[in-house]
Amino acid sequence: MERLTHLNVGRWIGYTRANQMLGQPEALYTNEPGKLRPQNLLIVNPSNNGKTRIAEKFVRLHPQRHSDEGNNEIIPVLKVQMPPEATNNRFYTVLLTELGTPVGYFGHHIMRETLTLRLMRTVGVRMLIIDEVHNLLSATARRQREMLNLLRYIGNDLRIPIVCLGIREAYLAIRSDDQLENRFHPVLLPLWESGLELARLLASFETILPLRGPSQLSAKPLSEQVLRRSEGTIGEIFALLTGATTTALMQGEERIASEIMDNTDYNPPSVRRRIVERELR
């Protein structure tokens, strides 16, 4: 169905909390590059609560472009993901891949490090964003120390701010290094709660739903029903509303009512976990 396809196209929902979050890396991007010890940012939130979408929006606000001379690419914001088995070599490989370097150029560790830093300078990287930084904790204690030292080295050598994204464990990883903890300002994206901000978020969501009638998602008791079923993360809210929209359209309805929400085939994370655990017994 065409309207359902339209719904699944990724789009930015500019809710208040997200717009405020964009302002913090923007301040670092404007003020910190070139400083001897640039300040960094650590964005921590529950899984599926919007941190990656915010980072992607920030990258789009500072897109890759040609230099004024036209003979060089400029990548002002470089966004990568911490590899699941984090090592210095693997992280440099991730950086080089995102910079578009052919695999055959990677070579030995020292060459990889030198090439990576030179390329980041050449393309004018002003900020490094690292998603899923909690993957550090899957490494041994020695590997964790090596990776944390590497983050500090890259920031100091290039004199650029680093923004790390992750769940609660990301903070534990950064906190294990006193010097990094002092330079990473933690910012929390908590679970959603009932109130004005949730109402604004749901009102924003409703503007993109391909339904012809008003659902009044921001009004109680429907907003409370959405919050209760989704368990308070923005990704689950979107999944629930997508499912409810599908249910409404399949039933020939043009709005989401409480009964539609009840009949939507959707399970929140806690229920999904219980189902899997029961099946594994």
Side-chain angles (χ1 to χ4, degrees), residues 9 11 19 30 47 60 98 101 118 131 181 204 211 216-217 224 234 236 249 260 265 267 272:
V9 174
R11 59 184 66 233
N19 290 330
T30 302
S47 179
R60 291 196 299 273
E98 196 63 31
T101 305
R118 184 168 73 239
D131 201 358
E181 183 182 15
S204 297
L211 298 172
Q216 297 183 335
L217 296 175
E224 298 286 354
I234 193 169
E236 294 296 331
L249 291 174
I260 295 289
D265 184 15
N267 287 320
R272 298 198 295 264

Side-chain angles (χ1 to χ4, degrees), residues 134-146:
H134 47 266
N135 285 344
L136 278 173
L137 294 179
S138 65
T140 64
R142 182 175 67 86
R143 293 291 188 191
Q144 288 179 39
R145 288 193 298 273
E146 289 177 355

Side-chain angles (χ1 to χ4, degrees), residues 261-276:
M261 196 78 70
D262 285 336
N263 293 330
T264 295
D265 184 15
Y266 165 85
N267 287 320
S270 63
V271 175
R272 298 198 295 264
R273 283 193 296 270
R274 286 199 298 272
I275 292 173
V276 172

Side-chain angles (χ1 to χ4, degrees), residues 59-202:
V59 172
R60 291 196 299 273
L61 291 173
H62 302 280
Q64 181 174 338
R65 65 183 191 277
H66 289 288
S67 64
D68 294 338
E69 295 79 14
N71 58 356
N72 191 38
E73 290 292 324
I74 301 297
I75 306 177
V77 179
L78 184 64
K79 179 181 175 294
V80 299
Q81 181 173 302
M82 181 65 69
E85 296 180 10
T87 65
N88 287 12
N89 274 342
R90 291 198 68 186
F91 188 66
Y92 277 127
T93 298
V94 168
L95 290 172
L96 286 169
T97 300
E98 196 63 31
L99 288 166
T101 305
V103 175
Y105 284 4
F106 289 169
H108 187 268
H109 169 71
I110 298 301
M111 171 186 275
R112 204 172 300 195
E113 175 185 301
T114 303
L115 177 60
T116 302
L117 297 177
R118 184 168 73 239
L119 281 175
M120 290 177 72
R121 287 191 181 90
T122 300
V123 301
V125 174
R126 291 174 55 88
M127 173 178 284
L128 174 62
I129 298 178
I130 307 171
D131 201 358
E132 307 292 340
V133 75
H134 47 266
N135 285 344
L136 278 173
L137 294 179
S138 65
T140 64
R142 182 175 67 86
R143 293 291 188 191
Q144 288 179 39
R145 288 193 298 273
E146 289 177 355
M147 285 300 304
L148 293 172
N149 286 335
L150 175 61
L151 295 186
R152 183 167 56 245
Y153 173 70
I154 290 175
N156 288 344
D157 189 74
L158 298 177
R159 298 192 178 187
I160 60 172
I162 298 175
V163 176
C164 288
L165 313 168
I167 58 178
R168 175 180 176 272
E169 285 75 9
Y171 176 66
L172 299 179
I174 298 297
R175 194 177 64 179
S176 67
D177 185 295
D178 291 340
Q179 295 184 56
L180 276 179
E181 183 182 15
N182 291 335
R183 291 166 57 182
F184 272 89
H185 174 62
V187 177
L188 303 180
L189 274 173
L191 292 172
W192 287 86
E193 298 178 347
S194 180
L196 181 59
E197 285 305 308
L198 177 64
R200 287 174 175 168
L201 175 68
L202 294 178

Side-chain angles (χ1 to χ4, degrees), residues 203-267:
S204 297
F205 266 126
E206 187 163 351
T207 64
I208 68 169
L209 298 181
L211 298 172
R212 298 189 177 98
S215 299
Q216 297 183 335
L217 296 175
S218 60
K220 295 180 180 180
L222 199 54
S223 65
E224 298 286 354
Q225 188 177 7
V226 171
L227 182 63
R228 183 176 63 256
R229 290 205 66 190
S230 67
E231 299 183 345
T233 67
I234 193 169
E236 294 296 331
I237 289 172
F238 184 74
L240 172 59
L241 293 179
T242 299
T245 300
T246 302
T247 302
L249 291 174
M250 296 298 290
Q251 295 182 6
E253 299 289 342
E254 291 294 341
R255 69 186 185 93
I256 298 174
S258 180
E259 296 78 14
I260 295 289
M261 196 78 70
D262 285 336
N263 293 330
T264 295
D265 184 15
Y266 165 85
N267 287 320

